[in-house]
Amino acid sequence: MGLLGQQLAHFGLWSESRHFFNPAMAGLNGQTRFIANYRNQWTGIEGRPLNMQIGASTDVPVLGIGMGTFFERENIGNREVSTLGLHINRVLVRTENQYLRLGIRGSWRQFTLDRNAVITPEGIPSNPNDDFINALMEPQSISTLGIGLAGGFGSIQYGLSFQQAISISQNVDGNYEPDDELFIHVSYNFEINNSLHLRPRSVFYTNFSVYQWHLALEAEWNDRFIVGLGYR
């Protein structure tokens, strides 16, 4: 039976979708955000990755919390994955020059397989009488948790999160199991003038079998427009 392999997901300007990665960053800086991402990779190849994300986050200062939600759907090969997640964080420290937030994430994820796309390594379609394949065709769901920390002092921002369900695998019984992911980030804000800010950022993340390091430089104009370059 053929298997599916894929690198960890990689996003440019990841900080604009930050609560997808770290629940402690929902509502950061007192902001309300609405986010939409779409990925169509390797156009023209059958079974190519297709990904859609939508989400929102906001700060609730009267309660000292931030909260957010997101929905994601991804198609790769014969697999479709749908995820619904919720985030909430608590402000532990908030002064004029520093802050610290602790957040948790809960998500529900459903996996389905397309029988028409399940083939053997020799290119033969799966046997409709195969009990193992038939069991795999049944939608499966898992619930996962994550935790994150986000802070800043002066012009420096940093964060650390540990969460599940970033990538998935199947055990010998054909059931899905979540993988663990560690995500670390740090950035610095250069205020060029009242309108222009430059922010170099560094991100490290892994599922403990694959490791990635991402460097980026973002420019923000008038707190409205953001452009950037990234290298991984």
Side-chain angles (χ1 to χ4, degrees):
M1 179 178 177
L3 298 178
L4 177 68
Q6 178 73 8
Q7 283 186 313
L8 290 177
H10 171 67
F11 298 91
L13 299 181
W14 65 270
S15 61
E16 304 314 308
S17 306
R18 52 199 177 197
H19 79 275
F20 285 104
F21 302 93
N22 188 338
M25 301 186 78
L28 195 64
N29 300 329
Q31 297 176 336
T32 296
R33 288 171 174 257
F34 297 93
I35 303 164
N37 292 321
Y38 177 75
R39 177 180 65 151
N40 185 347
Q41 186 173 333
W42 304 327
T43 302
I45 298 178
E46 186 177 356
R48 65 188 181 277
L50 297 172
N51 179 277
M52 179 271 292
Q53 294 176 328
I54 56 174
S57 65
T58 190
D59 188 37
V60 188
V62 67
L63 299 178
I65 65 172
M67 55 195 309
T69 184
F70 72 93
F71 175 78
E72 177 179 14
R73 175 167 291 172
E74 181 174 55
N75 295 84
I76 301 180
N78 57 25
R79 185 189 73 193
E80 179 179 285
V81 184
S82 298
T83 306
L84 178 65
L86 297 173
H87 306 284
I88 188 168
N89 61 61
R90 179 75 178 177
V91 179
L92 303 180
V93 177
R94 177 181 283 169
T95 67
E96 184 177 349
N97 295 318
Q98 63 178 327
Y99 69 89
L100 185 65
R101 289 175 178 252
L102 178 66
I104 59 173
R105 157 183 166 157
S107 65
W108 173 84
R109 177 169 279 200
Q110 178 173 283
F111 309 92
T112 57
L113 290 177
D114 179 4
R115 169 177 285 282
N116 295 326
V118 177
I119 60 176
T120 69
E122 294 77 23
I124 302 173
S126 60
N127 184 349
N129 298 317
D130 190 314
D131 292 337
F132 178 75
I133 297 297
N134 290 335
L136 292 181
M137 295 301 104
E138 295 296 325
Q140 298 185 42
S141 301
I142 60 173
S143 299
T144 62
L145 294 173
I147 187 169
L149 188 72
F153 55 91
S155 297
I156 299 175
Q157 290 187 336
Y158 60 88
L160 170 72
S161 66
F162 179 81
Q163 50 196 14
Q164 297 176 310
I166 301 303
S167 57
I168 59 95
S169 58
Q170 287 175 283
N171 60 26
V172 294
D173 297 321
N175 296 316
Y176 289 98
E177 296 179 340
D179 287 340
D180 298 322
E181 184 188 70
L182 177 67
F183 183 84
I184 302 171
H185 58 90
V186 62
S187 65
Y188 190 89
N189 179 58
F190 289 99
E191 185 175 345
I192 307 303
N193 54 47
N194 291 334
S195 299
L196 179 62
H197 295 254
L198 295 180
R199 299 190 183 97
R201 302 184 185 273
S202 179
V203 181
F204 170 82
Y205 61 133
T206 180
N207 62 1
F208 301 99
S209 61
V210 177
Y211 300 86
Q212 293 186 5
W213 184 35
H214 178 211
L215 296 175
L217 177 64
E218 296 179 8
E220 181 176 308
W221 178 261
N222 281 338
D223 296 325
R224 293 183 179 182
F225 304 102
I226 296 176
V227 295
L229 296 173
Y231 175 79
R232 180 186 61 175

